[in-house]
PDB file of all heavy atoms in Angstrom:
ATOM      1  N   GLN H 277      28.866  29.734 -51.495  1.00  0.00           N
ATOM      2  CA  GLN H 277      28.051  30.826 -51.996  1.00  0.00           C
ATOM      3  C   GLN H 277      26.771  30.904 -51.171  1.00  0.00           C
ATOM      4  O   GLN H 277      26.140  29.892 -50.918  1.00  0.00           O
ATOM      5  CB  GLN H 277      27.723  30.625 -53.472  1.00  0.00           C
ATOM      6  CG  GLN H 277      26.902  31.741 -54.079  1.00  0.00           C
ATOM      7  CD  GLN H 277      26.625  31.522 -55.557  1.00  0.00           C
ATOM      8  OE1 GLN H 277      27.192  30.622 -56.169  1.00  0.00           O
ATOM      9  NE2 GLN H 277      25.773  32.338 -56.116  1.00  0.00           N
ATOM     10  N   VAL H 278      26.386  32.091 -50.777  1.00  0.00           N
ATOM     11  CA  VAL H 278      25.154  32.295 -50.031  1.00  0.00           C
ATOM     12  C   VAL H 278      23.972  32.171 -50.980  1.00  0.00           C
ATOM     13  O   VAL H 278      23.949  32.784 -52.053  1.00  0.00           O
ATOM     14  CB  VAL H 278      25.141  33.659 -49.341  1.00  0.00           C
ATOM     15  CG1 VAL H 278      23.780  33.922 -48.697  1.00  0.00           C
ATOM     16  CG2 VAL H 278      26.250  33.725 -48.307  1.00  0.00           C
ATOM     17  N   GLN H 279      22.979  31.394 -50.568  1.00  0.00           N
ATOM     18  CA  GLN H 279      21.814  31.182 -51.406  1.00  0.00           C
ATOM     19  C   GLN H 279      20.595  30.931 -50.530  1.00  0.00           C
ATOM     20  O   GLN H 279      20.682  30.227 -49.524  1.00  0.00           O
ATOM     21  CB  GLN H 279      22.038  30.005 -52.351  1.00  0.00           C
ATOM     22  CG  GLN H 279      20.958  29.816 -53.390  1.00  0.00           C
ATOM     23  CD  GLN H 279      21.307  28.728 -54.387  1.00  0.00           C
ATOM     24  OE1 GLN H 279      21.811  27.666 -54.012  1.00  0.00           O
ATOM     25  NE2 GLN H 279      21.040  28.981 -55.664  1.00  0.00           N
ATOM     26  N   LEU H 280      19.472  31.503 -50.921  1.00  0.00           N
ATOM     27  CA  LEU H 280      18.195  31.265 -50.280  1.00  0.00           C
ATOM     28  C   LEU H 280      17.255  30.686 -51.333  1.00  0.00           C
ATOM     29  O   LEU H 280      17.063  31.291 -52.390  1.00  0.00           O
ATOM     30  CB  LEU H 280      17.594  32.552 -49.718  1.00  0.00           C
ATOM     31  CG  LEU H 280      18.023  33.020 -48.324  1.00  0.00           C
ATOM     32  CD1 LEU H 280      19.519  33.234 -48.230  1.00  0.00           C
ATOM     33  CD2 LEU H 280      17.269  34.297 -47.956  1.00  0.00           C
ATOM     34  N   VAL H 281      16.678  29.527 -51.052  1.00  0.00           N
ATOM     35  CA  VAL H 281      15.793  28.848 -51.977  1.00  0.00           C
ATOM     36  C   VAL H 281      14.430  28.677 -51.330  1.00  0.00           C
ATOM     37  O   VAL H 281      14.319  28.069 -50.267  1.00  0.00           O
ATOM     38  CB  VAL H 281      16.362  27.485 -52.402  1.00  0.00           C
ATOM     39  CG1 VAL H 281      15.403  26.782 -53.358  1.00  0.00           C
ATOM     40  CG2 VAL H 281      17.720  27.650 -53.061  1.00  0.00           C
ATOM     41  N   VAL H 299      15.188  27.670 -47.542  1.00  0.00           N
ATOM     42  CA  VAL H 299      16.405  27.028 -47.063  1.00  0.00           C
ATOM     43  C   VAL H 299      17.598  27.904 -47.422  1.00  0.00           C
ATOM     44  O   VAL H 299      17.808  28.226 -48.595  1.00  0.00           O
ATOM     45  CB  VAL H 299      16.572  25.628 -47.663  1.00  0.00           C
ATOM     46  CG1 VAL H 299      17.842  24.978 -47.128  1.00  0.00           C
ATOM     47  CG2 VAL H 299      15.363  24.765 -47.348  1.00  0.00           C
ATOM     48  N   ALA H 300      18.358  28.279 -46.422  1.00  0.00           N
ATOM     49  CA  ALA H 300      19.541  29.095 -46.629  1.00  0.00           C
ATOM     50  C   ALA H 300      20.785  28.221 -46.627  1.00  0.00           C
ATOM     51  O   ALA H 300      20.863  27.224 -45.912  1.00  0.00           O
ATOM     52  CB  ALA H 300      19.653  30.157 -45.541  1.00  0.00           C
ATOM     53  N   SER H 301      21.753  28.617 -47.410  1.00  0.00           N
ATOM     54  CA  SER H 301      23.025  27.912 -47.450  1.00  0.00           C
ATOM     55  C   SER H 301      24.153  28.923 -47.559  1.00  0.00           C
ATOM     56  O   SER H 301      23.945  30.069 -47.950  1.00  0.00           O
ATOM     57  CB  SER H 301      23.074  26.921 -48.616  1.00  0.00           C
ATOM     58  OG  SER H 301      22.916  27.580 -49.862  1.00  0.00           O
ATOM     59  N   GLY H 302      25.336  28.492 -47.222  1.00  0.00           N
ATOM     60  CA  GLY H 302      26.498  29.345 -47.318  1.00  0.00           C
ATOM     61  C   GLY H 302      26.909  29.987 -46.012  1.00  0.00           C
ATOM     62  O   GLY H 302      28.107  30.225 -45.794  1.00  0.00           O
ATOM     63  N   ARG H 303      25.939  30.262 -45.153  1.00  0.00           N
ATOM     64  CA  ARG H 303      26.193  30.819 -43.837  1.00  0.00           C
ATOM     65  C   ARG H 303      24.896  30.829 -43.047  1.00  0.00           C
ATOM     66  O   ARG H 303      23.820  30.559 -43.600  1.00  0.00           O
ATOM     67  CB  ARG H 303      26.790  32.228 -43.919  1.00  0.00           C
ATOM     68  CG  ARG H 303      25.857  33.276 -44.503  1.00  0.00           C
ATOM     69  CD  ARG H 303      26.283  34.671 -44.041  1.00  0.00           C
ATOM     70  NE  ARG H 303      26.194  34.786 -42.602  1.00  0.00           N
ATOM     71  CZ  ARG H 303      26.908  35.628 -41.857  1.00  0.00           C
ATOM     72  NH1 ARG H 303      27.794  36.440 -42.430  1.00  0.00           N
ATOM     73  NH2 ARG H 303      26.742  35.669 -40.546  1.00  0.00           N
ATOM     74  N   THR H 304      24.995  31.160 -41.783  1.00  0.00           N
ATOM     75  CA  THR H 304      23.814  31.332 -40.948  1.00  0.00           C
ATOM     76  C   THR H 304      23.501  32.814 -40.811  1.00  0.00           C
ATOM     77  O   THR H 304      24.349  33.672 -41.066  1.00  0.00           O
ATOM     78  CB  THR H 304      24.004  30.695 -39.568  1.00  0.00           C
ATOM     79  OG1 THR H 304      25.149  31.279 -38.932  1.00  0.00           O
ATOM     80  CG2 THR H 304      24.208  29.192 -39.694  1.00  0.00           C
ATOM     81  N   PHE H 305      22.262  33.101 -40.401  1.00  0.00           N
ATOM     82  CA  PHE H 305      21.789  34.473 -40.317  1.00  0.00           C
ATOM     83  C   PHE H 305      21.084  34.697 -38.993  1.00  0.00           C
ATOM     84  O   PHE H 305      20.338  33.843 -38.524  1.00  0.00           O
ATOM     85  CB  PHE H 305      20.825  34.778 -41.461  1.00  0.00           C
ATOM     86  CG  PHE H 305      21.409  34.553 -42.819  1.00  0.00           C
ATOM     87  CD1 PHE H 305      21.259  33.334 -43.449  1.00  0.00           C
ATOM     88  CD2 PHE H 305      22.115  35.560 -43.450  1.00  0.00           C
ATOM     89  CE1 PHE H 305      21.801  33.112 -44.698  1.00  0.00           C
ATOM     90  CE2 PHE H 305      22.665  35.356 -44.699  1.00  0.00           C
ATOM     91  CZ  PHE H 305      22.509  34.133 -45.324  1.00  0.00           C
ATOM     92  N   ASN H 353      18.854  25.457 -41.039  1.00  0.00           N
ATOM     93  CA  ASN H 353      18.988  26.788 -41.604  1.00  0.00           C
ATOM     94  C   ASN H 353      17.799  27.132 -42.499  1.00  0.00           C
ATOM     95  O   ASN H 353      17.961  27.630 -43.620  1.00  0.00           O
ATOM     96  CB  ASN H 353      20.296  26.912 -42.382  1.00  0.00           C
ATOM     97  CG  ASN H 353      20.871  28.308 -42.351  1.00  0.00           C
ATOM     98  OD1 ASN H 353      20.493  29.144 -41.527  1.00  0.00           O
ATOM     99  ND2 ASN H 353      21.807  28.580 -43.252  1.00  0.00           N
ATOM    100  N   TYR H 385      20.268  39.599 -48.493  1.00  0.00           N
ATOM    101  CA  TYR H 385      20.192  38.301 -49.156  1.00  0.00           C
ATOM    102  C   TYR H 385      18.733  37.977 -49.399  1.00  0.00           C
ATOM    103  O   TYR H 385      17.901  38.094 -48.500  1.00  0.00           O
ATOM    104  CB  TYR H 385      20.853  37.209 -48.313  1.00  0.00           C
ATOM    105  CG  TYR H 385      22.316  37.462 -48.054  1.00  0.00           C
ATOM    106  CD1 TYR H 385      22.734  38.044 -46.868  1.00  0.00           C
ATOM    107  CD2 TYR H 385      23.271  37.129 -49.006  1.00  0.00           C
ATOM    108  CE1 TYR H 385      24.074  38.294 -46.632  1.00  0.00           C
ATOM    109  CE2 TYR H 385      24.611  37.372 -48.779  1.00  0.00           C
ATOM    110  CZ  TYR H 385      25.006  37.949 -47.587  1.00  0.00           C
ATOM    111  OH  TYR H 385      26.342  38.199 -47.356  1.00  0.00           O
ATOM    112  N   TRP H 386      18.429  37.550 -50.614  1.00  0.00           N
ATOM    113  CA  TRP H 386      17.047  37.328 -51.030  1.00  0.00           C
ATOM    114  C   TRP H 386      16.890  36.034 -51.803  1.00  0.00           C
ATOM    115  O   TRP H 386      17.788  35.630 -52.547  1.00  0.00           O
ATOM    116  CB  TRP H 386      16.563  38.480 -51.920  1.00  0.00           C
ATOM    117  CG  TRP H 386      16.518  39.794 -51.215  1.00  0.00           C
ATOM    118  CD1 TRP H 386      17.531  40.701 -51.089  1.00  0.00           C
ATOM    119  CD2 TRP H 386      15.396  40.351 -50.530  1.00  0.00           C
ATOM    120  NE1 TRP H 386      17.114  41.786 -50.366  1.00  0.00           N
ATOM    121  CE2 TRP H 386      15.810  41.601 -50.011  1.00  0.00           C
ATOM    122  CE3 TRP H 386      14.087  39.921 -50.309  1.00  0.00           C
ATOM    123  CZ2 TRP H 386      14.947  42.414 -49.282  1.00  0.00           C
ATOM    124  CZ3 TRP H 386      13.236  40.728 -49.584  1.00  0.00           C
ATOM    125  CH2 TRP H 386      13.668  41.962 -49.083  1.00  0.00           C
TER     126      TRP H 386
END
Side-chain angles (χ1 to χ4, degrees):
Q277 181 179 351
V278 174
Q279 188 174 43
L280 275 58
V281 179
V299 181
S301 60
R303 66 157 298 154
T304 58
F305 303 92
N353 211 16
Y385 299 97
W386 296 88

